[in-house]
Amino acid sequence: PQLMVVHGQISIPKNMIFLSRNVLIKFSYSYFTAAFRRRLSTLPSRVLGNTGIETSIIGLGGVGIGEVYGKVSEGEAVDCVIRALELGINLIDTSPNYGNGRSEERIGLAVNALAGKSSFTATTSTTIITKCGDNGPQNNGHSPFSKDGVHSSFKRSLKLLNPPSGTIDVLLLHDPSQEDLDEFFSPETGGYVAFQELRADKSIRATGIGVREHDVLLRFMEHTTNLADIIITVNDWNLIRRYAETELFPAATRMNIGVLNGGPLYMGLLSGVDPEKSFRQGVKSLLEVPTLVKLARRVKSWSDEQNLDLRALALHFAAGPGSMSPPIAGALLGARFASEVEELIGSLLLGCEKELEKYTQAAKDFEETFGAEIRQFNPESHFYYDKSKIDL
């Protein structure tokens, strides 16, 4: 039997069998024909800095499937990852901190479910990013910023992700403070030594950092160890918050460092869902940012009045044509379910391809309406993640 496409919808035969865990997905026939796979792989791609890694302009963030924003079954999480790969996403970002390894394990199950299928080529080119630097059992009692702690964390991530290649593409330092960097860069015992060793033995292809604080990012980027192949900016380049353009983007361009945009939908505020409702999901319910939510509600009302898909406009800005001036290789989008992945990619293609002219004009109209207010918005009214206070 063959998959059928009717009015853009995929019809899946009933004899496709889904199981769980080690026999997670089993098909009674070859899953996709090569021609159909090519048809799905339509997402634009860009090269990630000087790494040579080519990634789709959006990647799947693994926070949601780690149940940080609410319950997700293992089957639903794995289905989410597989759907992302089916639709052309080839970049997945995760961390031991996302559900205490739950996100990594589910990603590993999904990727391995597709490995070895000659008709499905995504698994051979999927770039997986994981991180170190958080407290937890992955450090085996060592400091997360020490050489031994980094090696221990990486070993556990490798076991959970279990990539078909036996290696993980990218390892990032996760949310360190300046004091954490002092320890990380300590001669001989610091975590930077582990980064160098893992790169030298080809256990990883690239290294870097993901953190909100710009002074920490810049210090890591400029350090003489040259470990900043890639950085993830956090909630700092989207429609209503744009602090990365001042120092980070110029520095990354000068040093040819790959930039991934974390938070293009700003914790769901730009997802098209009522911001009040969005900020009652999971860990976000602990946050108190009333002025920010009020701004986001006004933005949503404006987009509704203009008959716009707010998510499409946000992705036009953060991942599409609006991100071409900053050196952004891709934007990371969280999803928990396959249906959410489909909606995200639908919005991306709407704003960046199908109705490009409309959303290019909408971006200009948005600037005229909100640009001055956003530039003058009180920085203290924004959301800032503090891992010492919020347990993911």
Side-chain angles (χ1 to χ4, degrees), residues 154-188:
F154 178 80
K155 183 177 179 180
R156 182 173 183 258
S157 293
L158 189 63
K159 179 179 179 181
L160 291 174
L161 287 164
N162 190 27
S165 66
T167 63
I168 295 175
D169 300 283
V170 181
L171 180 64
L172 303 182
L173 191 62
H174 197 199
D175 289 324
S177 65
Q178 288 285 7
E179 292 73 21
D180 296 331
L181 282 190
D182 289 341
E183 180 181 359
F184 181 80
F185 287 123
S186 296
E188 299 183 8

PDB file of all heavy atoms in Angstrom, residues 154-188:
ATOM      1  N   PHE A 154      27.887  13.935  29.691  1.00  0.00           N
ATOM      2  CA  PHE A 154      27.881  13.547  28.280  1.00  0.00           C
ATOM      3  C   PHE A 154      27.665  12.041  28.119  1.00  0.00           C
ATOM      4  O   PHE A 154      26.917  11.599  27.244  1.00  0.00           O
ATOM      5  CB  PHE A 154      29.195  13.959  27.614  1.00  0.00           C
ATOM      6  CG  PHE A 154      29.275  13.553  26.166  1.00  0.00           C
ATOM      7  CD1 PHE A 154      28.638  14.304  25.193  1.00  0.00           C
ATOM      8  CD2 PHE A 154      29.976  12.418  25.784  1.00  0.00           C
ATOM      9  CE1 PHE A 154      28.689  13.930  23.853  1.00  0.00           C
ATOM     10  CE2 PHE A 154      30.041  12.035  24.449  1.00  0.00           C
ATOM     11  CZ  PHE A 154      29.392  12.792  23.482  1.00  0.00           C
ATOM     12  N   LYS A 155      28.303  11.268  28.984  1.00  0.00           N
ATOM     13  CA  LYS A 155      28.167   9.807  28.904  1.00  0.00           C
ATOM     14  C   LYS A 155      26.712   9.389  29.098  1.00  0.00           C
ATOM     15  O   LYS A 155      26.196   8.518  28.378  1.00  0.00           O
ATOM     16  CB  LYS A 155      29.058   9.159  29.968  1.00  0.00           C
ATOM     17  CG  LYS A 155      29.051   7.636  29.938  1.00  0.00           C
ATOM     18  CD  LYS A 155      30.025   7.076  30.982  1.00  0.00           C
ATOM     19  CE  LYS A 155      30.012   5.545  30.963  1.00  0.00           C
ATOM     20  NZ  LYS A 155      30.944   4.994  31.979  1.00  0.00           N
ATOM     21  N   ARG A 156      26.034  10.016  30.056  1.00  0.00           N
ATOM     22  CA  ARG A 156      24.617   9.687  30.292  1.00  0.00           C
ATOM     23  C   ARG A 156      23.755  10.131  29.114  1.00  0.00           C
ATOM     24  O   ARG A 156      22.842   9.407  28.682  1.00  0.00           O
ATOM     25  CB  ARG A 156      24.129  10.355  31.571  1.00  0.00           C
ATOM     26  CG  ARG A 156      22.670  10.037  31.935  1.00  0.00           C
ATOM     27  CD  ARG A 156      22.357  10.617  33.305  1.00  0.00           C
ATOM     28  NE  ARG A 156      21.019  10.304  33.773  1.00  0.00           N
ATOM     29  CZ  ARG A 156      19.999  11.166  33.730  1.00  0.00           C
ATOM     30  NH1 ARG A 156      20.183  12.368  33.207  1.00  0.00           N
ATOM     31  NH2 ARG A 156      18.820  10.831  34.211  1.00  0.00           N
ATOM     32  N   SER A 157      24.042  11.317  28.575  1.00  0.00           N
ATOM     33  CA  SER A 157      23.285  11.795  27.416  1.00  0.00           C
ATOM     34  C   SER A 157      23.455  10.858  26.230  1.00  0.00           C
ATOM     35  O   SER A 157      22.493  10.563  25.504  1.00  0.00           O
ATOM     36  CB  SER A 157      23.728  13.213  27.030  1.00  0.00           C
ATOM     37  OG  SER A 157      23.366  14.152  28.027  1.00  0.00           O
ATOM     38  N   LEU A 158      24.672  10.397  26.036  1.00  0.00           N
ATOM     39  CA  LEU A 158      24.947   9.488  24.925  1.00  0.00           C
ATOM     40  C   LEU A 158      24.161   8.188  25.087  1.00  0.00           C
ATOM     41  O   LEU A 158      23.622   7.643  24.124  1.00  0.00           O
ATOM     42  CB  LEU A 158      26.449   9.199  24.850  1.00  0.00           C
ATOM     43  CG  LEU A 158      26.956   8.445  23.620  1.00  0.00           C
ATOM     44  CD1 LEU A 158      26.703   9.252  22.353  1.00  0.00           C
ATOM     45  CD2 LEU A 158      28.449   8.147  23.767  1.00  0.00           C
ATOM     46  N   LYS A 159      24.058   7.718  26.315  1.00  0.00           N
ATOM     47  CA  LYS A 159      23.306   6.483  26.574  1.00  0.00           C
ATOM     48  C   LYS A 159      21.820   6.686  26.307  1.00  0.00           C
ATOM     49  O   LYS A 159      21.152   5.824  25.698  1.00  0.00           O
ATOM     50  CB  LYS A 159      23.530   6.035  28.019  1.00  0.00           C
ATOM     51  CG  LYS A 159      22.777   4.767  28.386  1.00  0.00           C
ATOM     52  CD  LYS A 159      23.057   4.367  29.836  1.00  0.00           C
ATOM     53  CE  LYS A 159      22.283   3.096  30.209  1.00  0.00           C
ATOM     54  NZ  LYS A 159      22.540   2.722  31.637  1.00  0.00           N
ATOM     55  N   LEU A 160      21.264   7.808  26.766  1.00  0.00           N
ATOM     56  CA  LEU A 160      19.836   8.055  26.599  1.00  0.00           C
ATOM     57  C   LEU A 160      19.469   8.348  25.148  1.00  0.00           C
ATOM     58  O   LEU A 160      18.473   7.841  24.628  1.00  0.00           O
ATOM     59  CB  LEU A 160      19.399   9.223  27.491  1.00  0.00           C
ATOM     60  CG  LEU A 160      19.410   8.961  28.994  1.00  0.00           C
ATOM     61  CD1 LEU A 160      19.091  10.250  29.754  1.00  0.00           C
ATOM     62  CD2 LEU A 160      18.403   7.880  29.372  1.00  0.00           C
ATOM     63  N   LEU A 161      20.268   9.164  24.497  1.00  0.00           N
ATOM     64  CA  LEU A 161      19.987   9.504  23.105  1.00  0.00           C
ATOM     65  C   LEU A 161      20.282   8.336  22.168  1.00  0.00           C
ATOM     66  O   LEU A 161      19.618   8.155  21.153  1.00  0.00           O
ATOM     67  CB  LEU A 161      20.801  10.731  22.682  1.00  0.00           C
ATOM     68  CG  LEU A 161      20.331  12.062  23.259  1.00  0.00           C
ATOM     69  CD1 LEU A 161      21.411  13.127  23.102  1.00  0.00           C
ATOM     70  CD2 LEU A 161      19.047  12.523  22.566  1.00  0.00           C
ATOM     71  N   ASN A 162      21.322   7.583  22.509  1.00  0.00           N
ATOM     72  CA  ASN A 162      21.685   6.389  21.741  1.00  0.00           C
ATOM     73  C   ASN A 162      21.658   6.644  20.232  1.00  0.00           C
ATOM     74  O   ASN A 162      20.986   5.930  19.478  1.00  0.00           O
ATOM     75  CB  ASN A 162      20.735   5.238  22.098  1.00  0.00           C
ATOM     76  CG  ASN A 162      21.189   3.907  21.522  1.00  0.00           C
ATOM     77  OD1 ASN A 162      22.376   3.692  21.294  1.00  0.00           O
ATOM     78  ND2 ASN A 162      20.246   3.012  21.276  1.00  0.00           N
ATOM     79  N   PRO A 163      22.381   7.658  19.748  1.00  0.00           N
ATOM     80  CA  PRO A 163      22.312   8.000  18.326  1.00  0.00           C
ATOM     81  C   PRO A 163      22.876   6.882  17.451  1.00  0.00           C
ATOM     82  O   PRO A 163      23.840   6.214  17.843  1.00  0.00           O
ATOM     83  CB  PRO A 163      23.172   9.266  18.230  1.00  0.00           C
ATOM     84  CG  PRO A 163      24.105   9.181  19.392  1.00  0.00           C
ATOM     85  CD  PRO A 163      23.328   8.498  20.486  1.00  0.00           C
ATOM     86  N   PRO A 164      22.298   6.646  16.287  1.00  0.00           N
ATOM     87  CA  PRO A 164      22.776   5.587  15.397  1.00  0.00           C
ATOM     88  C   PRO A 164      24.244   5.727  15.043  1.00  0.00           C
ATOM     89  O   PRO A 164      24.946   4.733  14.845  1.00  0.00           O
ATOM     90  CB  PRO A 164      21.885   5.745  14.162  1.00  0.00           C
ATOM     91  CG  PRO A 164      20.632   6.362  14.681  1.00  0.00           C
ATOM     92  CD  PRO A 164      21.065   7.272  15.783  1.00  0.00           C
ATOM     93  N   SER A 165      24.742   6.972  14.988  1.00  0.00           N
ATOM     94  CA  SER A 165      26.144   7.209  14.634  1.00  0.00           C
ATOM     95  C   SER A 165      27.096   6.924  15.790  1.00  0.00           C
ATOM     96  O   SER A 165      28.311   6.820  15.592  1.00  0.00           O
ATOM     97  CB  SER A 165      26.326   8.667  14.194  1.00  0.00           C
ATOM     98  OG  SER A 165      26.082   9.540  15.295  1.00  0.00           O
ATOM     99  N   GLY A 166      26.568   6.829  17.015  1.00  0.00           N
ATOM    100  CA  GLY A 166      27.408   6.643  18.192  1.00  0.00           C
ATOM    101  C   GLY A 166      28.022   7.926  18.699  1.00  0.00           C
ATOM    102  O   GLY A 166      28.797   7.918  19.658  1.00  0.00           O
ATOM    103  N   THR A 167      27.679   9.053  18.081  1.00  0.00           N
ATOM    104  CA  THR A 167      28.197  10.356  18.501  1.00  0.00           C
ATOM    105  C   THR A 167      27.044  11.348  18.605  1.00  0.00           C
ATOM    106  O   THR A 167      25.968  11.142  18.044  1.00  0.00           O
ATOM    107  CB  THR A 167      29.240  10.897  17.502  1.00  0.00           C
ATOM    108  OG1 THR A 167      28.605  11.110  16.233  1.00  0.00           O
ATOM    109  CG2 THR A 167      30.394   9.931  17.333  1.00  0.00           C
ATOM    110  N   ILE A 168      27.292  12.434  19.335  1.00  0.00           N
ATOM    111  CA  ILE A 168      26.332  13.531  19.431  1.00  0.00           C
ATOM    112  C   ILE A 168      26.933  14.723  18.699  1.00  0.00           C
ATOM    113  O   ILE A 168      28.115  15.035  18.862  1.00  0.00           O
ATOM    114  CB  ILE A 168      26.039  13.886  20.902  1.00  0.00           C
ATOM    115  CG1 ILE A 168      25.332  12.702  21.591  1.00  0.00           C
ATOM    116  CG2 ILE A 168      25.175  15.136  20.999  1.00  0.00           C
ATOM    117  CD1 ILE A 168      25.113  12.898  23.076  1.00  0.00           C
ATOM    118  N   ASP A 169      26.129  15.390  17.901  1.00  0.00           N
ATOM    119  CA  ASP A 169      26.673  16.435  17.031  1.00  0.00           C
ATOM    120  C   ASP A 169      27.203  17.638  17.804  1.00  0.00           C
ATOM    121  O   ASP A 169      28.310  18.115  17.540  1.00  0.00           O
ATOM    122  CB  ASP A 169      25.591  16.901  16.044  1.00  0.00           C
ATOM    123  CG  ASP A 169      25.114  15.762  15.173  1.00  0.00           C
ATOM    124  OD1 ASP A 169      25.836  15.392  14.240  1.00  0.00           O
ATOM    125  OD2 ASP A 169      24.022  15.228  15.455  1.00  0.00           O
ATOM    126  N   VAL A 170      26.414  18.146  18.747  1.00  0.00           N
ATOM    127  CA  VAL A 170      26.766  19.408  19.398  1.00  0.00           C
ATOM    128  C   VAL A 170      26.560  19.288  20.906  1.00  0.00           C
ATOM    129  O   VAL A 170      25.528  18.782  21.362  1.00  0.00           O
ATOM    130  CB  VAL A 170      25.904  20.567  18.859  1.00  0.00           C
ATOM    131  CG1 VAL A 170      26.299  21.885  19.532  1.00  0.00           C
ATOM    132  CG2 VAL A 170      26.030  20.693  17.339  1.00  0.00           C
ATOM    133  N   LEU A 171      27.535  19.781  21.672  1.00  0.00           N
ATOM    134  CA  LEU A 171      27.434  19.845  23.133  1.00  0.00           C
ATOM    135  C   LEU A 171      27.583  21.299  23.561  1.00  0.00           C
ATOM    136  O   LEU A 171      28.579  21.945  23.231  1.00  0.00           O
ATOM    137  CB  LEU A 171      28.517  18.989  23.796  1.00  0.00           C
ATOM    138  CG  LEU A 171      28.507  18.973  25.336  1.00  0.00           C
ATOM    139  CD1 LEU A 171      27.220  18.340  25.863  1.00  0.00           C
ATOM    140  CD2 LEU A 171      29.729  18.227  25.873  1.00  0.00           C
ATOM    141  N   LEU A 172      26.594  21.792  24.284  1.00  0.00           N
ATOM    142  CA  LEU A 172      26.600  23.178  24.734  1.00  0.00           C
ATOM    143  C   LEU A 172      26.649  23.263  26.254  1.00  0.00           C
ATOM    144  O   LEU A 172      26.103  22.405  26.946  1.00  0.00           O
ATOM    145  CB  LEU A 172      25.340  23.908  24.259  1.00  0.00           C
ATOM    146  CG  LEU A 172      25.058  23.947  22.759  1.00  0.00           C
ATOM    147  CD1 LEU A 172      23.784  24.748  22.495  1.00  0.00           C
ATOM    148  CD2 LEU A 172      26.218  24.535  21.985  1.00  0.00           C
ATOM    149  N   LEU A 173      27.273  24.308  26.757  1.00  0.00           N
ATOM    150  CA  LEU A 173      27.223  24.627  28.179  1.00  0.00           C
ATOM    151  C   LEU A 173      25.913  25.356  28.426  1.00  0.00           C
ATOM    152  O   LEU A 173      25.568  26.309  27.708  1.00  0.00           O
ATOM    153  CB  LEU A 173      28.413  25.500  28.566  1.00  0.00           C
ATOM    154  CG  LEU A 173      28.650  25.713  30.053  1.00  0.00           C
ATOM    155  CD1 LEU A 173      28.937  24.388  30.752  1.00  0.00           C
ATOM    156  CD2 LEU A 173      29.817  26.688  30.275  1.00  0.00           C
ATOM    157  N   HIS A 174      25.169  24.932  29.459  1.00  0.00           N
ATOM    158  CA  HIS A 174      23.787  25.365  29.658  1.00  0.00           C
ATOM    159  C   HIS A 174      23.643  26.330  30.824  1.00  0.00           C
ATOM    160  O   HIS A 174      23.902  25.981  31.970  1.00  0.00           O
ATOM    161  CB  HIS A 174      22.924  24.123  29.898  1.00  0.00           C
ATOM    162  CG  HIS A 174      21.462  24.367  29.719  1.00  0.00           C
ATOM    163  ND1 HIS A 174      20.500  23.531  30.241  1.00  0.00           N
ATOM    164  CD2 HIS A 174      20.772  25.345  29.069  1.00  0.00           C
ATOM    165  CE1 HIS A 174      19.295  23.962  29.905  1.00  0.00           C
ATOM    166  NE2 HIS A 174      19.438  25.074  29.202  1.00  0.00           N
ATOM    167  N   ASP A 175      23.263  27.551  30.533  1.00  0.00           N
ATOM    168  CA  ASP A 175      22.897  28.556  31.542  1.00  0.00           C
ATOM    169  C   ASP A 175      23.924  28.758  32.652  1.00  0.00           C
ATOM    170  O   ASP A 175      23.562  28.777  33.841  1.00  0.00           O
ATOM    171  CB  ASP A 175      21.553  28.190  32.172  1.00  0.00           C
ATOM    172  CG  ASP A 175      20.395  28.392  31.216  1.00  0.00           C
ATOM    173  OD1 ASP A 175      20.431  29.347  30.426  1.00  0.00           O
ATOM    174  OD2 ASP A 175      19.449  27.581  31.266  1.00  0.00           O
ATOM    175  N   PRO A 176      25.201  28.936  32.321  1.00  0.00           N
ATOM    176  CA  PRO A 176      26.177  29.201  33.389  1.00  0.00           C
ATOM    177  C   PRO A 176      26.152  30.665  33.826  1.00  0.00           C
ATOM    178  O   PRO A 176      25.724  31.543  33.070  1.00  0.00           O
ATOM    179  CB  PRO A 176      27.521  28.876  32.713  1.00  0.00           C
ATOM    180  CG  PRO A 176      27.291  29.273  31.279  1.00  0.00           C
ATOM    181  CD  PRO A 176      25.843  28.898  30.986  1.00  0.00           C
ATOM    182  N   SER A 177      26.617  30.916  35.026  1.00  0.00           N
ATOM    183  CA  SER A 177      26.852  32.278  35.504  1.00  0.00           C
ATOM    184  C   SER A 177      28.324  32.610  35.276  1.00  0.00           C
ATOM    185  O   SER A 177      29.117  31.759  34.836  1.00  0.00           O
ATOM    186  CB  SER A 177      26.527  32.368  36.998  1.00  0.00           C
ATOM    187  OG  SER A 177      27.435  31.550  37.734  1.00  0.00           O
ATOM    188  N   GLN A 178      28.712  33.828  35.598  1.00  0.00           N
ATOM    189  CA  GLN A 178      30.131  34.192  35.493  1.00  0.00           C
ATOM    190  C   GLN A 178      30.980  33.323  36.425  1.00  0.00           C
ATOM    191  O   GLN A 178      32.080  32.896  36.061  1.00  0.00           O
ATOM    192  CB  GLN A 178      30.324  35.679  35.822  1.00  0.00           C
ATOM    193  CG  GLN A 178      29.821  36.643  34.760  1.00  0.00           C
ATOM    194  CD  GLN A 178      30.735  36.710  33.536  1.00  0.00           C
ATOM    195  OE1 GLN A 178      31.690  35.939  33.401  1.00  0.00           O
ATOM    196  NE2 GLN A 178      30.439  37.624  32.630  1.00  0.00           N
ATOM    197  N   GLU A 179      30.459  33.044  37.622  1.00  0.00           N
ATOM    198  CA  GLU A 179      31.192  32.199  38.562  1.00  0.00           C
ATOM    199  C   GLU A 179      31.320  30.773  38.023  1.00  0.00           C
ATOM    200  O   GLU A 179      32.362  30.122  38.195  1.00  0.00           O
ATOM    201  CB  GLU A 179      30.490  32.174  39.921  1.00  0.00           C
ATOM    202  CG  GLU A 179      30.517  33.493  40.681  1.00  0.00           C
ATOM    203  CD  GLU A 179      29.590  34.553  40.093  1.00  0.00           C
ATOM    204  OE1 GLU A 179      28.649  34.174  39.358  1.00  0.00           O
ATOM    205  OE2 GLU A 179      29.819  35.754  40.357  1.00  0.00           O
ATOM    206  N   ASP A 180      30.273  30.306  37.378  1.00  0.00           N
ATOM    207  CA  ASP A 180      30.337  28.975  36.769  1.00  0.00           C
ATOM    208  C   ASP A 180      31.403  28.930  35.681  1.00  0.00           C
ATOM    209  O   ASP A 180      32.108  27.924  35.532  1.00  0.00           O
ATOM    210  CB  ASP A 180      28.978  28.596  36.174  1.00  0.00           C
ATOM    211  CG  ASP A 180      27.884  28.472  37.228  1.00  0.00           C
ATOM    212  OD1 ASP A 180      28.204  28.134  38.389  1.00  0.00           O
ATOM    213  OD2 ASP A 180      26.707  28.709  36.881  1.00  0.00           O
ATOM    214  N   LEU A 181      31.511  30.006  34.908  1.00  0.00           N
ATOM    215  CA  LEU A 181      32.542  30.056  33.864  1.00  0.00           C
ATOM    216  C   LEU A 181      33.939  30.055  34.462  1.00  0.00           C
ATOM    217  O   LEU A 181      34.871  29.485  33.880  1.00  0.00           O
ATOM    218  CB  LEU A 181      32.360  31.297  32.981  1.00  0.00           C
ATOM    219  CG  LEU A 181      31.269  31.251  31.921  1.00  0.00           C
ATOM    220  CD1 LEU A 181      31.398  32.460  30.985  1.00  0.00           C
ATOM    221  CD2 LEU A 181      31.333  29.971  31.107  1.00  0.00           C
ATOM    222  N   ASP A 182      34.099  30.707  35.620  1.00  0.00           N
ATOM    223  CA  ASP A 182      35.407  30.668  36.295  1.00  0.00           C
ATOM    224  C   ASP A 182      35.832  29.222  36.520  1.00  0.00           C
ATOM    225  O   ASP A 182      36.988  28.849  36.259  1.00  0.00           O
ATOM    226  CB  ASP A 182      35.338  31.395  37.643  1.00  0.00           C
ATOM    227  CG  ASP A 182      35.208  32.896  37.496  1.00  0.00           C
ATOM    228  OD1 ASP A 182      35.519  33.423  36.411  1.00  0.00           O
ATOM    229  OD2 ASP A 182      34.773  33.550  38.470  1.00  0.00           O
ATOM    230  N   GLU A 183      34.911  28.402  37.008  1.00  0.00           N
ATOM    231  CA  GLU A 183      35.230  26.995  37.252  1.00  0.00           C
ATOM    232  C   GLU A 183      35.399  26.237  35.936  1.00  0.00           C
ATOM    233  O   GLU A 183      36.313  25.422  35.796  1.00  0.00           O
ATOM    234  CB  GLU A 183      34.131  26.339  38.080  1.00  0.00           C
ATOM    235  CG  GLU A 183      34.412  24.866  38.377  1.00  0.00           C
ATOM    236  CD  GLU A 183      33.311  24.198  39.184  1.00  0.00           C
ATOM    237  OE1 GLU A 183      32.329  24.872  39.535  1.00  0.00           O
ATOM    238  OE2 GLU A 183      33.449  22.985  39.451  1.00  0.00           O
ATOM    239  N   PHE A 184      34.536  26.507  34.982  1.00  0.00           N
ATOM    240  CA  PHE A 184      34.586  25.802  33.700  1.00  0.00           C
ATOM    241  C   PHE A 184      35.928  26.000  33.006  1.00  0.00           C
ATOM    242  O   PHE A 184      36.473  25.073  32.382  1.00  0.00           O
ATOM    243  CB  PHE A 184      33.452  26.293  32.804  1.00  0.00           C
ATOM    244  CG  PHE A 184      33.384  25.612  31.473  1.00  0.00           C
ATOM    245  CD1 PHE A 184      32.812  24.355  31.334  1.00  0.00           C
ATOM    246  CD2 PHE A 184      33.895  26.236  30.338  1.00  0.00           C
ATOM    247  CE1 PHE A 184      32.753  23.729  30.101  1.00  0.00           C
ATOM    248  CE2 PHE A 184      33.837  25.623  29.100  1.00  0.00           C
ATOM    249  CZ  PHE A 184      33.266  24.360  28.973  1.00  0.00           C
ATOM    250  N   PHE A 185      36.484  27.193  33.109  1.00  0.00           N
ATOM    251  CA  PHE A 185      37.758  27.509  32.434  1.00  0.00           C
ATOM    252  C   PHE A 185      38.979  27.318  33.338  1.00  0.00           C
ATOM    253  O   PHE A 185      40.086  27.741  32.985  1.00  0.00           O
ATOM    254  CB  PHE A 185      37.736  28.935  31.883  1.00  0.00           C
ATOM    255  CG  PHE A 185      36.862  29.090  30.662  1.00  0.00           C
ATOM    256  CD1 PHE A 185      35.824  30.013  30.654  1.00  0.00           C
ATOM    257  CD2 PHE A 185      37.089  28.321  29.533  1.00  0.00           C
ATOM    258  CE1 PHE A 185      35.023  30.160  29.527  1.00  0.00           C
ATOM    259  CE2 PHE A 185      36.292  28.461  28.399  1.00  0.00           C
ATOM    260  CZ  PHE A 185      35.255  29.383  28.394  1.00  0.00           C
ATOM    261  N   SER A 186      38.800  26.671  34.505  1.00  0.00           N
ATOM    262  CA  SER A 186      39.935  26.401  35.388  1.00  0.00           C
ATOM    263  C   SER A 186      40.922  25.470  34.694  1.00  0.00           C
ATOM    264  O   SER A 186      40.535  24.440  34.132  1.00  0.00           O
ATOM    265  CB  SER A 186      39.468  25.740  36.690  1.00  0.00           C
ATOM    266  OG  SER A 186      38.641  26.606  37.416  1.00  0.00           O
ATOM    267  N   PRO A 187      42.215  25.795  34.714  1.00  0.00           N
ATOM    268  CA  PRO A 187      43.220  24.957  34.052  1.00  0.00           C
ATOM    269  C   PRO A 187      43.184  23.516  34.563  1.00  0.00           C
ATOM    270  O   PRO A 187      43.025  23.269  35.759  1.00  0.00           O
ATOM    271  CB  PRO A 187      44.544  25.642  34.424  1.00  0.00           C
ATOM    272  CG  PRO A 187      44.172  27.060  34.702  1.00  0.00           C
ATOM    273  CD  PRO A 187      42.814  27.004  35.324  1.00  0.00           C
ATOM    274  N   GLU A 188      43.250  22.574  33.662  1.00  0.00           N
ATOM    275  CA  GLU A 188      43.373  21.138  33.907  1.00  0.00           C
ATOM    276  C   GLU A 188      42.094  20.476  34.433  1.00  0.00           C
ATOM    277  O   GLU A 188      41.719  19.392  33.981  1.00  0.00           O
ATOM    278  CB  GLU A 188      44.537  20.837  34.860  1.00  0.00           C
ATOM    279  CG  GLU A 188      45.878  21.285  34.308  1.00  0.00           C
ATOM    280  CD  GLU A 188      47.009  20.901  35.236  1.00  0.00           C
ATOM    281  OE1 GLU A 188      46.768  20.172  36.224  1.00  0.00           O
ATOM    282  OE2 GLU A 188      48.134  21.345  34.955  1.00  0.00           O
TER     283      GLU A 188
END
